Amino acid sequence: MLIATFIRKQLRLKAHKVVRVEESKERMTVFIDRLGRRLLRCGVCRRRCREVHDVRPERGWRDLSMRKLPLMLRYCPRRVDCPRCGVRVEDFPWAKPWARVTTALANAVAMLARELSWQGTAREYGLDWKSVASIVKRAVEYGLRHRARPPVHVIGIDEVSRRKGQVYLTVVYDLERRVLLWVGEDRTEKAVRQFFAVQLGRRRCGTLRVVCMDMWAPYINVVREQAPQAQILFDRFHIVKHLNEAVDEVRRSLMRRLSIKEKATFKGTRWLVLKNPWNLSGSQKERLSTLVRWNTPLVRAWYLKEAFQLFWTYRQPKRAQDYLDKWMSSAMRSKLEPFKKFVRMLRSHLDGVLAWTKTRLSNGAVEGMNNKIKSISHRSFGFRSAKNYIAAIYHGCARLPLPDEP
């Protein structure tokens, strides 16, 4: 088979033909022209057009390499007179409008960009990283337009740090399908309302049953405003995180009051009191049993932490509430200010905490997605632009379809 015939079949040319192929040490160049008087398609509506308005200067498109030899397509585009759209540049079967690479190369770059940084992908294909960024953004735009949109019943909302200085992105995750739904800049009410008003819409907001989140007030306000029928569930991971912070604050305040000699006994107890008992080694269990005999505020904090873990085993809301009320009364009598603060937080969000007994859901999948999002940032050594970072997150985590090849 001739190389010209092979390229024509690979590009699936119908109204075009391969005129000649020139090969040099640097690249292989394929020259394409119109085939006779075959009808060309409009670049906007893709309707067949009978009239050609004019011929534009020659353009080039980069294609997949052949045996490590870069392949370049050269063609003089026609402007057609479309009865619907007017004078427009014709539709190219091998590339998208305004693209400088073929659809096949764009898909190959987009697939590799899900695993490597944009700079690494650019080096692999001999492109500029800005070309890779443009390819990824076009792939994300196509994927968001053409991805499946089934009803959403259970979602998780969380924030992920974009850079230092308390700068965050908000991510929304479908906990049933385990797929990323939306990424927004910042974590304000205005930013999150965009997801419910634009991405979901009023009809799809009505299908939400459970929204799992942390206790960030803007998230709560927007969910109650946009999806009042949905049950707000406060994530188990964040509740335990606040509880562990209370234990650690007791430990730090105790260390500040002790003398240098007394500090030696409590040195290295941070992870000892925060770890689950079944994860302790033999020496750690022995040291913890010795520490328990001291009857200090730290020991009281440890007992309260372990007693709270029983709440997660309850499945009946009434019994769970009775146990939680009893635990909160004990914590308020413990004379430990960090635990009193934790109890006040629980009481102000009690409905969302008790929802655990019915739903048994958590944002564990979202936390796993956050780790993947952080790995995207780490392998690229960060992103200066939030739009580029959001495009990379969608491309790597949302399982978006890629544009179809001709």
Side-chain angles (χ1 to χ4, degrees):
M1 181 185 296
L2 295 175
I3 188 68
T5 306
F6 173 78
I7 293 173
R8 178 177 58 80
K9 290 188 175 182
Q10 286 294 307
L11 296 178
R12 300 181 185 178
L13 301 180
K14 302 296 183 183
H16 302 81
K17 63 181 179 179
V18 177
V19 179
R20 69 181 188 277
V21 179
E22 294 182 358
E23 184 177 349
S24 65
K25 292 182 179 179
E26 292 78 22
R27 67 174 60 88
M28 180 182 292
T29 307
V30 178
F31 293 89
I32 300 174
D33 200 359
R34 184 185 179 188
L35 181 60
R37 297 187 60 83
R38 292 284 180 94
L39 298 184
L40 303 176
R41 293 182 181 272
C42 171
V44 178
C45 66
R46 299 198 78 251
R47 290 182 61 180
R48 293 182 183 274
C49 304
R50 294 184 176 276
E51 299 295 330
V52 174
H53 185 269
D54 61 3
V55 181
R56 306 299 293 168
E58 189 178 66
R59 283 174 53 185
W61 291 264
R62 175 75 184 277
D63 198 6
L64 287 168
S65 301
M66 295 188 66
R67 300 291 296 176
K68 297 186 178 181
L69 194 64
L71 183 63
M72 182 69 70
L73 307 182
R74 307 292 299 182
Y75 175 66
C76 295
R78 271 69 170 171
R79 288 203 303 170
V80 295
D81 193 357
C82 178
R84 176 185 294 179
C85 308
V87 178
R88 298 287 181 176
V89 178
E90 66 172 299
D91 177 67
F92 308 115
W94 58 84
K96 298 298 179 183
W98 306 108
R100 288 295 179 266
V101 298
T102 63
T103 305
L105 178 58
N107 283 355
V109 169
M111 290 181 66
L112 188 61
R114 285 176 174 170
E115 307 298 331
L116 299 181
S117 67
W118 292 355
Q119 186 71 55
T121 305
R123 282 195 299 267
E124 181 68 22
Y125 284 100
L127 301 171
D128 187 79
W129 75 268
K130 292 181 181 178
S131 300
V132 176
S134 300
I135 290 171
V136 170
K137 288 177 182 177
R138 283 198 297 267
V140 168
E141 290 173 2
Y142 175 89
L144 291 176
R145 287 196 308 268
H146 293 85
R147 69 174 174 178
R149 291 169 59 87
V152 180
H153 304 298
V154 183
I155 64 172
I157 306 177
D158 200 7
E159 74 276 349
V160 61
S161 176
R162 184 168 76 84
R163 58 180 174 84
K164 290 182 179 179
Q166 303 293 316
V167 180
Y168 293 96
L169 300 176
T170 298
V171 294
V172 182
Y173 197 63
D174 186 341
L175 294 179
E176 286 185 327
R177 295 166 52 228
R178 294 183 175 270
V179 64
L180 179 70
L181 291 178
W182 181 79
V183 185
E185 194 172 350
D186 212 345
R187 54 171 183 168
T188 60
E189 288 187 25
K190 181 180 178 181
V192 182
R193 190 177 290 111
Q194 221 178 10
F195 165 72
F196 289 96
V198 179
Q199 184 70 25
L200 281 186
R202 180 179 297 180
R203 183 178 62 83
R204 299 185 76 211
C205 281
T207 65
L208 289 176
R209 295 198 304 263
V210 180
V211 180
C212 188
M213 67 178 79
D214 59 15
M215 298 178 186
W216 183 241
Y219 294 165
I220 300 172
N221 296 337
V222 173
V223 171
R224 287 175 176 167
E225 172 192 323
Q226 300 290 332
Q229 82 289 343
Q231 172 65 61
I232 294 177
L233 170 65
F234 295 119
D235 181 38
R236 173 177 176 173
F237 170 83
H238 289 90
I239 295 174
V240 173
K241 178 184 175 183
H242 287 296
L243 179 63
N244 288 339
E245 287 175 354
V247 175
D248 198 43
E249 180 58 35
V250 171
R251 184 191 65 83
R252 286 200 299 267
S253 62
L254 179 64
M255 292 289 284
R256 286 193 291 265
R257 295 197 304 267
L258 295 177
S259 64
I260 296 177
K261 181 182 269 188
E262 291 173 325
K263 283 182 180 179
T265 306
F266 293 93
K267 187 176 180 181
T269 57
R270 180 185 180 187
W271 302 115
L272 189 67
V273 296
L274 293 182
K275 285 178 73 172
N276 290 319
W278 53 86
N279 290 331
L280 295 172
S281 63
S283 60
Q284 288 175 329
K285 289 179 181 178
E286 185 177 346
R287 190 179 180 196
L288 182 61
S289 62
T290 304
L291 188 65
V292 165
R293 300 192 196 102
W294 281 66
N295 195 22
T296 64
L298 182 60
V299 175
R300 271 181 281 147
W302 182 80
Y303 274 124
L304 285 170
K305 177 183 78 79
E306 293 304 317
F308 184 84
Q309 303 300 334
L310 293 175
F311 166 76
W312 307 114
T313 63
Y314 284 91
R315 292 184 176 272
Q316 298 179 359
K318 182 62 171 65
R319 291 189 177 183
Q321 184 170 0
D322 291 343
Y323 179 80
L324 197 57
D325 289 339
K326 188 185 297 184
W327 184 91
M328 289 190 294
S329 299
S330 301
M332 293 299 287
R333 294 194 304 268
S334 66
K335 300 180 182 179
L336 301 174
E337 191 56 38
F339 275 84
K340 291 181 181 180
K341 181 180 177 182
F342 177 70
V343 169
R344 287 192 288 269
M345 182 190 69
L346 286 182
R347 284 177 174 167
S348 62
H349 302 85
L350 197 58
D351 181 62
V353 176
L354 292 173
W356 161 263
T357 57
K358 296 179 180 178
T359 59
R360 318 298 285 188
L361 291 169
S362 75
N363 262 0
V366 180
E367 296 301 327
M369 180 62 66
N370 286 352
N371 290 333
K372 189 172 182 180
I373 290 173
K374 290 173 185 175
S375 72
I376 292 173
S377 178
H378 291 164
R379 75 190 182 204
S380 301
F381 297 96
F383 290 85
R384 290 185 181 181
S385 167
K387 291 183 179 179
N388 285 349
Y389 192 20
I390 291 173
I393 292 170
Y394 272 126
H395 190 60
C397 305
R399 299 205 296 264
L400 300 177
L402 292 175
D404 296 328
E405 293 187 32

